[in-house]
Amino acid sequence: MNSKTKSLVLMGFITALLLIFSMTPIGTIPIGPLSISLNVIPVAVAAVALGPAGGAAAGAIFGILSFLQCFGIGVPSGMGAALATIDPLLAFVQRFVPRVLDGFLVGVICKVLSKKINNYAACAVTGLCTAFFNTLFFMSALILLFGQTDYVQELMDKKGTHNVFLFVVMFVGINAVLEMLAATVVTGGVGAALIKAKLIKTADNKKD
């Protein structure tokens, strides 16, 4: 199987995972009153396996599926529905652009790290960064595009603060930390396994 075919197969598999995670409850793991979203993991794996372009492509698919959830297609998003009611174009930007930027950026990060540290560590850090940047970019876009709307102001009131930093920390809470841990462990393991199976190669073609 040549490299182009491998890339197409991997991208097809990643797309299928994103569809499953976005369209069914499988993509959300409840832990008591909390939950972990698995949607960022396929984006991280795409960045590891296919580089910045693959990460951006997976991020774009994730963003489109996230936007569709605003309209009840897949797992419904209450926030998404509210934002789409306010301004559907800005809701699309808020849901789509952060995911594309995330996928592209972590693809660059993985490419650089793979030349400096071992494969598992490079993949694990990529997973961590994917979850972190997803939260950072998503919340930044929310504040930038909708921060002055009644909807977001009411969310801030419920959290008891109008300090943007404190609001973001309180809003994402422990969920973001759990997602980062899950993405770190899973991406590290999956990425290293793909490399060992020679389904993908590191940037400098090194071996563990």
Side-chain angles (χ1 to χ4, degrees):
M1 186 183 296
N2 59 43
S3 60
K4 185 176 181 180
T5 301
K6 288 181 181 178
S7 296
L8 288 173
V9 171
L10 282 170
M11 196 65 216
F13 178 68
I14 288 164
T15 300
L17 280 179
L18 284 167
L19 283 167
I20 292 170
F21 288 167
S22 297
M23 296 293 174
T24 73
I26 294 176
T28 302
I29 299 176
I31 300 180
L34 305 174
S35 63
I36 302 176
S37 173
L38 302 179
N39 289 294
V40 297
I41 294 177
V43 177
V45 172
V48 167
L50 305 172
I61 295 169
F62 177 22
I64 291 171
L65 292 171
S66 179
F67 179 63
L68 292 177
Q69 290 175 330
C70 298
F71 304 95
I73 301 174
V75 179
S77 168
M79 172 184 283
L83 298 182
T85 299
I86 295 170
D87 190 321
L89 179 58
L90 289 182
F92 175 77
V93 173
Q94 190 263 340
R95 297 247 151 186
F96 180 78
V97 174
R99 274 60 188 262
V100 176
L101 289 176
D102 183 17
F104 177 81
L105 182 57
V106 295
V108 173
I109 289 172
C110 185
K111 189 173 182 180
V112 172
L113 288 179
S114 66
K115 298 178 182 179
K116 301 180 181 297
I117 58 179
N118 68 67
N119 292 329
Y120 177 82
C123 295
V125 172
T126 299
L128 172 65
C129 290
T130 304
F132 174 74
F133 288 140
N134 178 65
T135 299
L136 176 65
F137 296 160
F138 181 87
M139 292 303 295
S140 296
L142 174 68
I143 297 300
L144 179 64
L145 299 175
F146 294 96
Q148 299 305 311
T149 62
D150 291 340
Y151 174 72
V152 173
Q153 290 297 310
E154 288 174 4
L155 288 178
M156 290 184 172
D157 287 337
K158 290 179 181 178
K159 295 298 180 181
T161 180
H162 280 264
N163 179 287
V164 172
F165 178 76
L166 287 177
F167 166 69
V168 171
V169 171
M170 294 170 69
F171 190 81
V172 299
I174 192 66
N175 295 56
V177 176
L178 293 175
E179 287 172 10
M180 284 187 277
L181 288 173
T184 299
V185 173
V186 175
T187 305
V190 171
L194 289 173
I195 292 169
K196 287 184 180 294
K198 297 182 179 181
L199 292 176
I200 61 174
K201 296 180 181 179
T202 52
D204 61 351
N205 199 30
K206 73 179 186 332
K207 297 180 180 179
D208 286 326

